Amino acid sequence: MSLPPQLKAIQHHLRTAQEHEQRDPAVAYYCRLYAMQTGMKLDSKTPECRKFLVKLMDQLETMKNALGNHESITQEIVGHAHIENYALKMFLYADNEDRSGRFHKNMIKSFYTASLLVDVLSVFGELSEENIQHRKYARWKATHIHTCLKNGETPQPGPIGMDGEQYDDMFPTDDGRSAQAPSSPPPPGYTPDQGPPNTATSNFNNIQITPGAHAPANTPAELPSSAAEPEKPVPVPRSMAVVDPSLLNPSQQGDVRLTAEDFTRAQKYCKYAGSALQYEDVTTAIQNLQKALKLLATGKE
């Protein structure tokens, strides 16, 4: 069933879900959940939209039943950690390629997909300021690098100021016509002859982003076939996080009184660490475990 034009804003999240059907069912599930929730807000009354959304709900229910033993689906806190870590991996891979001056289609797509997955995090609640900044930066980077490559220019690596820069948002629609779509970025599998997405301008000189190469470098440039074997993340060299010696033998300092919220936050960090280990991301796992240890030992983050 084709996507009604009123729901065009969710087309790229649905495409990302399709891409991850085999690679990561949890990502596919939450992308569709976000698309369904957003679609309900966009238009749930028009017959064609209602029919599409009901079909999407049925698909979500089928996925949920099929993934009944998948912890990322049954436990919201694990699901949140899984999607956030996956988005961060995509972002860090693209950021590392960018800072190293390696500009190519997969890194552009990784930046863009990372921004879509930050959108998806909103199904779990309000986005953190850090995630909002990463989303904004990733979308702008995808735009900037794509535009430069299209025009035969060399993009400038790393964070740079955007003051005064404007980008048109022109790319072919499904019927082959060119149309301006301010709220819709290009599809993840877009080709070089398509234009860049529209992104609000701002200054990113002061954005704090840790360079890294922790992301899976196997992001496909095109949609995988449904019969394809699930792809596994390609291990990449990474620097080890430094372990805080004071946390190797943790014990509560003084009369520390932990609240229920403290225990919840500590549990969240442990879940993040567990999710990171699924991707052999030792650095992120260590960092989150250290945060949990510090919180439990001192009552402070």
Side-chain angles (χ1 to χ4, degrees), residues 79-193:
H80 184 281
H82 183 79
I83 300 301
E84 188 168 52
N85 271 313
Y86 196 94
L88 182 61
K89 283 173 168 297
M90 301 286 283
F91 181 92
L92 290 176
Y93 164 67
D95 184 55
N96 186 69
E97 293 293 281
D98 174 41
R99 291 170 187 265
S100 300
R102 295 187 291 267
F103 306 108
H104 50 85
K105 189 174 182 178
N106 274 4
M107 66 93 73
I108 294 173
K109 183 182 176 184
S110 290
F111 265 136
Y112 178 64
T113 303
S115 75
L116 292 178
L117 292 178
V118 174
D119 288 340
V120 173
L121 285 174
S122 65
V123 303
F124 302 104
E126 189 174 349
L127 296 178
S128 68
E129 183 59 32
E130 181 181 23
N131 280 330
I132 291 173
Q133 288 301 314
H134 280 187
R135 177 178 62 183
K136 185 185 298 184
Y137 180 83
R139 272 194 185 147
W140 175 73
K141 263 296 179 181
T143 303
H144 174 68
I145 296 170
H146 174 67
T147 302
C148 287
L149 295 182
K150 180 183 178 183
N151 296 335
E153 303 169 356
T154 301
Q156 181 176 336
I160 56 177
M162 291 175 59
D163 288 346
E165 296 187 43
Q166 297 288 338
Y167 298 94
D168 292 329
D169 180 28
M170 302 293 291
F171 58 92
T173 58
D174 292 338
D175 60 7
R177 295 179 294 104
S178 289
Q180 191 160 359
S183 61
S184 258
Y190 63 83
T191 54
D193 60 349

Side-chain angles (χ1 to χ4, degrees), residues 13-14 16-34 59-74 78-79 82-83 86 117 120 124 224 226 228-233 278-279:
H13 301 87
L14 291 173
T16 300
Q18 183 182 348
E19 289 179 337
H20 288 80
E21 197 81 62
Q22 301 297 324
R23 293 176 58 201
D24 194 318
V27 170
Y29 175 81
Y30 284 113
C31 282
R32 289 195 175 105
L33 180 60
Y34 170 83
Q59 188 175 18
L60 280 166
E61 189 63 29
T62 300
M63 289 188 71
K64 190 171 184 179
N65 292 333
L67 300 171
N69 60 349
H70 202 298
E71 195 177 27
S72 293
I73 304 299
T74 59
V78 181
H82 183 79
I83 300 301
Y86 196 94
L117 292 178
V120 173
F124 302 104
S226 57
E229 289 295 321
E231 298 183 54
K232 296 182 181 299
Q278 291 180 359
Y279 297 97

Side-chain angles (χ1 to χ4, degrees), residues 217-233:
N218 64 323
T219 307
E222 304 296 340
L223 293 179
S225 65
S226 57
E229 289 295 321
E231 298 183 54
K232 296 182 181 299

Side-chain angles (χ1 to χ4, degrees), residues 10 14 31-41 53 56-57 60:
I10 63 174
L14 291 173
C31 282
R32 289 195 175 105
L33 180 60
Y34 170 83
M36 189 271 290
Q37 292 181 353
T38 303
M40 292 290 289
K41 297 174 184 176
L53 292 171
L56 185 56
M57 289 179 195
L60 280 166

